[in-house]
Amino acid sequence: MTKSQKDIFWLAASLAAGFAVRFLPAPAPLTQEGLAVLGIFLTSLMMWITISIDWPSLITVFLLGFLPHFGFGNTLKGTFGNTTVAFLLFTFMLVYPLSQTHFVRRCTVTFITNAIARRGPWSFVAFLFFAVTFMGLFISPSVLFVAFMPFLEDIFQVLGLKKGSPSANMIMLGTAFCISLSSGMTAIGHVWPTMAMGYYTAATGRDVNQFQYMAMGIPTGVLLVVLLLLVFKFLFRPADIHAIDPQKAMGLRGTVPRADSREKIILGTMALTVLLWVGPSLVKGWNPGLYKSISSLTTAMPPLLGCIILFIARHEGKPIMNFKEVMTKGVLWASIVMTGAATMLGSALTHNEMGIKAWLSGMLAPVASGLPVLGLILFFFAWCVLETNFSSNIVTTTVVSAVALSVCQALPAGVISVGAVVCLIGFGAGICNMTPAGQSTINTVAIGSGWTTARDMFVWGGIFALLAILAMTFVGYPIGSVILG
């Protein structure tokens, strides 16, 4: 069976399954329209898993448009007219010029050639991991890994590491894990944290700003990098680690040209964007009016302003950002379309008049009442991290967030921090290195490079996933519950 034939088969099966659910009798308090939403959810999930996340998302929008409560006007507005979609579009555009500079190499060289990094092999490895983690806070994981791979090969060559070397294997594993992890530490240009924040806002009407998310994601991520280093040092224990001479990395300093005015303008614009995201939260305590005024501009405004600056700014007579190029090469349209469709679908799933929340809550109440709050938190985080290793990060975020919102909102107020749970589901979707299906670009390139193996990715990726669940539960959630309430 060809790919086209398989797509047609799964499309028919997905639609049939969805319509079969739609025409079942709706058990109270679930409404018939709510049952139709569940049918669309099933259809969408099957299409996203078996076909792709791009054009099938348009079918999701099409089906939602026929729901009487929403109609096509509200559906299209909820899909393409929300700030989450605009935020992603402008952020993808803004980050693209940065990936075309020497920033990745320059940043890495700065990290691995400082005096502390040169003290020993483990110091060198630690600074290398923190370098890619830092860059991953605001660069797409797939773009960063592909851009970093040639430079990582140069690092191996300078250090004299060959394929089959345990240390090289460890460095490749750590690089893949840290880049994937960083995609959940901030929502800057990262799809799954942005989606999780959007679902929470759509369901509750309460916003989560960039500072609040990073206050949860960055400490949890930094802790995980430290735990990963400890696992590598005391469990992995590469036999040839002492063969690494960090002084040899000094030879890399001359391989990276100095930053030109173009790169400086790009970095300055990125810094301004981050300041506009984070700054309002820093002044909230002493100037609530200023905080409210800037926050009302939404998270989409700063990257929009950044894009305008880069379109206007010139370097050697040419605009720093070319509209046609960035729209064709820099924007991940499949992610944007699916994010829009999934956001609208999430709004429908959690809408009170659909009856889905009340129906789910009634079914899950006995289970929830039998579990302590800690058990529920562990359940959702474990589900998220396990699924994302065998499924799309975006699909995982959509499915787990929808159920978590329905269950957690049904509990008495103050029992559980709904915002912290949902936002950390966006974080957990980045812990995805066990199988090629978890993060296809990073995992397949890492395995195909010959520096590591599928077995090692699965084993050590599994250990890292377990550490992530514990860190999210006992570090990320407590921080999030204080910040978001």
Side-chain angles (χ1 to χ4, degrees), residues 120-126 128-129 132 145 152 156 159 161-178 227-242 244 446 450-453 456-457 460-461:
W122 285 110
S123 295
F124 175 85
V125 172
L128 179 61
F129 288 174
V132 295
F145 192 77
L152 187 58
F156 287 149
L159 296 177
L161 296 177
K162 307 294 183 183
K163 289 185 178 179
S165 159
S167 292
N169 183 10
M170 177 190 71
I171 290 174
M172 177 58 73
L173 289 170
T175 299
F177 294 173
C178 289
L227 292 175
L228 178 65
L229 285 163
L230 292 175
V231 166
F232 281 154
K233 185 170 184 177
F234 296 107
L235 293 181
F236 191 95
R237 292 183 295 181
D240 62 342
I241 187 67
H242 295 293
I244 294 178
W451 292 101
T452 189
T453 65
D456 284 332
M457 289 285 286
W460 297 102

Side-chain angles (χ1 to χ4, degrees), residues 220 381 385 424-425 427-428 467-478:
T220 308
F381 291 168
V385 172
L424 284 165
I425 287 170
F427 176 97
L467 293 174
I469 294 169
L470 297 175
M472 290 162 63
T473 303
F474 296 106
V475 177
Y477 177 79

Side-chain angles (χ1 to χ4, degrees), residues 82-88 90-91 277 297-305:
N82 64 76
T83 57
T84 302
V85 169
F87 165 81
L88 277 180
F90 300 141
T91 306
W277 274 327
L297 301 176
T298 76
T299 57
M301 186 280 289
L304 171 59
L305 175 61

Side-chain angles (χ1 to χ4, degrees), residues 56-184:
S57 298
L58 298 178
I59 296 177
T60 300
V61 177
F62 182 75
L63 295 175
L64 287 170
F66 284 101
L67 295 174
H69 189 84
F70 300 103
F72 275 93
N74 288 328
T75 296
L76 292 173
K77 181 180 178 181
T79 301
F80 298 110
N82 64 76
T83 57
T84 302
V85 169
F87 165 81
L88 277 180
L89 172 62
F90 300 141
T91 306
F92 282 147
M93 294 170 65
L94 183 63
V95 171
Y96 175 74
L98 185 64
S99 68
Q100 306 302 303
T101 68
H102 295 285
F103 174 76
V104 170
R105 285 185 175 239
R106 184 176 298 104
C107 185
T108 306
V109 169
T110 301
F111 268 84
I112 65 177
T113 60
N114 71 77
I116 301 176
R118 300 199 306 270
R119 287 182 178 178
W122 285 110
S123 295
F124 175 85
V125 172
F127 273 89
L128 179 61
F129 288 174
F130 276 111
V132 295
T133 303
F134 169 73
M135 292 183 289
L137 297 180
F138 45 87
I139 300 178
S140 165
S142 298
V143 171
L144 176 57
F145 192 77
V146 171
F148 188 72
M149 269 300 296
F151 188 48
L152 187 58
E153 297 268 2
D154 292 343
I155 293 174
F156 287 149
Q157 184 176 359
V158 167
L159 296 177
L161 296 177
K162 307 294 183 183
K163 289 185 178 179
S165 159
S167 292
N169 183 10
M170 177 190 71
I171 290 174
M172 177 58 73
L173 289 170
T175 299
F177 294 173
C178 289
I179 290 178
S180 295
L181 163 68
S182 66
S183 70

Side-chain angles (χ1 to χ4, degrees), residues 266-291:
I266 293 171
L267 291 174
T269 304
M270 284 292 301
L272 173 63
T273 303
V274 174
L275 178 63
L276 289 173
W277 274 327
V278 177
S281 299
L282 302 179
V283 302
K284 183 178 181 180
W286 60 272
N287 196 333
L290 179 61
Y291 167 78

